[in-house]
Amino acid sequence: MKVGIVGAGMVGSAAGYALALLGTVREVVLVDRDAALALAQAQDIAHAVPFASATQMGAGGYDRLQGADVVILAAGVSQKPGETRLELLGRNAEVFRAIVGEVLRVAPDAILLVATNPVDIMTDVATRLSGLPPTRVIGSGTILDTARFRSLLGAHLGIAPQSVHAYVLGEHGDSEVLAWSAARAGSVPIRAFAAQVGAALTDDVVARIDHGVRTAAYTIIEGKGATWYGIGAGLARIVRAILRDEQAVLSVSILTPEVEGVSDVALSVPRVVGRAGVTAALFPELDRAEHDALRRSAELLKATADALTL
C-alpha cells in the first residue's frame, strides 16, 4: 500500500512520521513545491524507520504519486496581514485547483484525505474540484477534537481514553459541538459511569473539559506556533482504517447531503471508514441544545462555502 502526502511542512511531515513508525504502509512519498524540503523530511523520517518498521520513504514530483491508494492534502498558504478569511480561502482554493488536478492525473483511484485548514471548507473545495464522489474525499474534520475530548474525559474518570466513546461534531473550529448526551464509558452513559466511580460530572467539570477541548489548539499555537503531532497521528489513523478496510467509526468530514436541515455541507459526524472511503454516517442521539448547536455549525459552514467562488 502506498500513501502520498502533498505538503511537506509540519503537518505533512508529522503524518509521514506517524505512518512510518506505525508501519501501516509499504511506501510514503512526500511532494512539495520546495523539493529540497520534501527530500529532507523524507530522509529524516527514513532514518527513524529502522527503529520501528520497514516503511519506504521517498520524495519527488507528482509523478511519484502514481499508484497511491491515499493522498493526503496538507498544502496551503498562510494568511497575509489585512487579508480576510474568505480571501485566504480563495487563495487556498487556487492552490487546491492545481494540486488536485495533478494528483488525479497520476493517481485517479486514490482517496483524497484533506488536512489543510479550514478543513471542512477545504474538503468541500476538494470535492467540487475533483468531481469525485464525496465518500472518497475525506477531511480530517474533528478527529483531533474528538481525541482531545476523550483524553480529558478519561483523565477525569481515571480510565484510558480508548475506553471513552465520545464525539465532537460539526465544524473543526469554534462552532464545534461536544456530544455529551451520547458519550459513553465502555457501554455505560458517561454521567452514570462518572457517578459509579465517584468522579461526578458537575457543571464546573463539564465547563472545564469543554473549554479544554475548544482552546487546546490556541494554547498549543501560543506556545509553539502551530499544532502538528496530534493531527499527524489522526491522519495516520484514518489512513490505517482505509488501507486495512477496518470499517472503523471515526469523526471525519465529508460533503453531506443534509445535516439538521442544512443541505450539501461538509462537517463531521461519526462515519464508517474503510477501503471504499466513507460508507455510512452515524448520527448520535442528541439533546435539543446539541441539535441546535449542530444546526448553527452547519449553517456557518454552508454560508462560508457558498460565499467562496471557485
Side-chain angles (χ1 to χ4, degrees), residues 152-167:
L152 291 173
L153 271 173
H156 174 72
L157 298 172
I159 61 174
Q162 293 86 350
S163 296
V164 177
H165 308 290
Y167 294 93

Side-chain angles (χ1 to χ4, degrees), residues 146-270:
T146 290
R148 291 165 175 160
F149 189 19
R150 293 178 180 184
S151 177
L152 291 173
L153 271 173
H156 174 72
L157 298 172
I159 61 174
Q162 293 86 350
S163 296
V164 177
H165 308 290
Y167 294 93
V168 177
L169 315 177
E171 179 193 16
H172 171 56
D174 293 340
S175 73
E176 64 190 23
V177 181
L178 280 64
W180 284 96
S181 60
R184 300 286 187 272
S187 61
V188 180
I190 203 73
R191 291 183 183 278
F193 184 94
Q196 289 180 33
V197 299
L201 286 170
T202 64
D203 290 345
D204 286 345
V205 171
V206 169
R208 173 174 58 79
I209 292 175
D210 185 281
H211 179 77
V213 173
R214 293 181 187 279
T215 62
Y218 297 114
T219 302
I220 294 167
I221 290 168
E222 182 179 353
K224 68 174 195 175
T227 67
W228 55 80
Y229 292 125
I231 189 57
L235 291 164
R237 177 67 187 94
I238 298 168
V239 169
R240 191 183 81 184
I242 294 169
L243 298 185
R244 294 185 180 178
D245 198 21
E246 289 183 0
Q247 304 303 307
V249 178
L250 304 172
S251 55
V252 294
S253 181
I254 70 169
L255 190 61
T256 308
E258 187 272 331
V259 177
E260 297 290 344
V262 181
S263 61
D264 297 323
V265 60
L267 50 61
S268 290
V269 297

Side-chain angles (χ1 to χ4, degrees), residues 13-244:
S13 61
Y17 184 58
L19 286 167
L21 290 189
L22 291 171
T24 304
V25 299
R26 172 181 53 82
E27 182 181 7
V28 176
V29 175
L30 296 174
V31 176
D32 196 279
R33 64 179 181 178
D34 184 343
L37 173 64
L39 180 60
Q41 298 281 36
Q43 289 182 340
D44 195 14
I45 296 169
H47 299 158
V49 167
F51 300 110
S53 75
T55 298
Q56 301 170 23
M57 295 299 304
Y62 286 100
D63 287 346
R64 286 290 305 274
L65 299 178
Q66 187 171 1
D69 300 281
V70 178
V71 176
I72 297 171
L73 305 182
V77 295
S78 300
Q79 194 164 10
K80 297 177 179 179
E83 185 176 41
T84 68
R85 186 167 179 264
L86 196 59
E87 288 169 341
L88 173 63
L89 276 170
R91 290 200 299 127
N92 268 329
E94 287 305 309
V95 171
F96 264 38
R97 187 184 301 279
I99 288 173
V100 169
E102 285 295 294
V103 169
L104 294 181
R105 176 180 62 81
V106 296
D109 297 324
I111 289 175
L112 302 183
L113 178 51
V114 181
T116 301
N117 276 320
V119 69
D120 301 293
I121 304 301
M122 297 311 297
T123 299
D124 183 307
V125 168
T127 304
R128 287 194 269 168
L129 290 175
S130 68
L132 293 173
T135 53
R136 288 182 53 202
V137 184
I138 304 171
S140 56
T142 59
I143 194 165
L144 180 54
D145 312 270
T146 290
R148 291 165 175 160
F149 189 19
R150 293 178 180 184
S151 177
L152 291 173
L153 271 173
H156 174 72
L157 298 172
I159 61 174
Q162 293 86 350
S163 296
V164 177
H165 308 290
Y167 294 93
V168 177
L169 315 177
E171 179 193 16
H172 171 56
D174 293 340
S175 73
E176 64 190 23
V177 181
L178 280 64
W180 284 96
S181 60
R184 300 286 187 272
S187 61
V188 180
I190 203 73
R191 291 183 183 278
F193 184 94
Q196 289 180 33
V197 299
L201 286 170
T202 64
D203 290 345
D204 286 345
V205 171
V206 169
R208 173 174 58 79
I209 292 175
D210 185 281
H211 179 77
V213 173
R214 293 181 187 279
T215 62
Y218 297 114
T219 302
I220 294 167
I221 290 168
E222 182 179 353
K224 68 174 195 175
T227 67
W228 55 80
Y229 292 125
I231 189 57
L235 291 164
R237 177 67 187 94
I238 298 168
V239 169
R240 191 183 81 184
I242 294 169
L243 298 185
R244 294 185 180 178

